[in-house]
Amino acid sequence: MADVIVFDLYGVIARTQTAEAVRRIEEIAGDPGPSFWDAYWSCRPSYDAGQESAAYWADVAGLLGTAFPDVPALIEADLESWTEVDDAMVDLVHELADEGRTLGLLSNIISDLVPRFEARHGAVLGRFDALTYSCRIGVAKPDRRAYEICAERLGVQPSDVVFFDDSERNVLAARETGMRAELFTSPTQVRTLVG
């Protein structure tokens, strides 16, 4: 039985952007095309590590050689696109906490999103023993320090942790720190692997 379990947030407990949310962002950005999403993601590591929202969107616009017509609306649509959870995983977090497991969250998340997500989903976040947000520690996965800081906050060694993430790159990086890391597929998978 695994006593220390760490979860990624997006793609595991929280849902990723819906097609509708993506369309809304594109509409506000002026229907910029596929290159927009290349710029959006290539600039994201600094944003996840604590960069201000306006600076992030300026970087995205700079890569595209454009200016966005309504940056505040773009920021709002982007934040809103990252606020939904997977109810089955929320139930699993409560179940594991009720069993007395030590739970950690290790998420690449932007500063402006943290208070919004905590306001909406405080009940489930309150079940974690440690919340490790990239924007608050200044490094994002797959940086080795993110995993080490998460383990430190839980009071354990990385080798004591079973970690679930939906990104293979992040799983491989976690394994390099000594964590037992698994590519997340479902709540059933988690239940099977943690015993």
Side-chain angles (χ1 to χ4, degrees):
M1 179 188 290
D3 290 326
V4 183
I5 307 161
V6 173
F7 293 107
D8 170 38
L9 183 57
Y10 291 100
V12 179
I13 294 167
R15 298 193 183 279
T16 55
Q17 293 167 308
T18 64
E20 180 183 341
V22 165
R23 282 193 300 275
R24 177 74 181 134
I25 291 167
E26 289 174 341
E27 178 184 299
I28 295 167
D31 293 317
S35 60
F36 170 80
W37 293 103
D38 291 339
Y40 176 98
W41 290 112
S42 70
C43 293
R44 209 77 182 182
S46 294
Y47 200 17
D48 285 337
Q51 181 185 37
E52 299 267 331
S53 292
Y56 164 73
W57 287 106
D59 286 350
V60 173
L63 277 183
L64 296 170
T66 190
F68 297 121
D70 190 347
V71 173
L74 201 49
I75 292 169
E76 176 61 26
D78 186 50
L79 292 174
E80 192 59 27
S81 75
W82 295 107
T83 57
E84 299 303 317
V85 294
D86 178 335
D87 291 334
M89 279 303 296
V90 168
D91 290 345
L92 177 57
V93 168
H94 286 298
E95 179 184 313
L96 293 170
D98 288 345
E99 291 173 2
R101 311 292 184 102
T102 298
L103 302 180
L105 186 72
L106 175 57
S107 177
N108 286 356
I109 186 171
I110 60 176
S111 297
D112 287 348
L113 187 51
V114 170
R116 182 176 303 220
F117 200 89
E118 288 182 340
R120 290 191 188 183
H121 304 294
V124 68
L125 293 175
R127 303 308 304 268
F128 287 92
D129 297 277
L131 301 170
T132 306
Y133 298 137
S134 59
C135 62
R136 294 196 173 153
I137 62 172
V139 291
K141 296 174 294 181
D143 188 300
R144 178 183 190 91
R145 280 296 295 148
Y147 305 95
E148 292 170 345
I149 291 168
C150 178
E152 287 168 14
R153 289 182 170 192
L154 289 165
V156 299
Q157 296 298 314
S159 58
D160 298 324
V161 172
V162 178
F163 174 66
F164 292 91
D165 197 297
D166 67 322
S167 162
E168 186 173 6
R169 180 176 75 158
N170 292 342
V171 166
L172 294 174
R175 287 176 183 164
E176 288 177 12
T177 70
M179 289 184 177
R180 177 181 162 203
E182 301 290 341
L183 190 65
F184 174 78
T185 59
S186 70
T188 301
Q189 171 214 26
V190 175
R191 283 190 178 91
T192 300
L193 292 174
V194 302

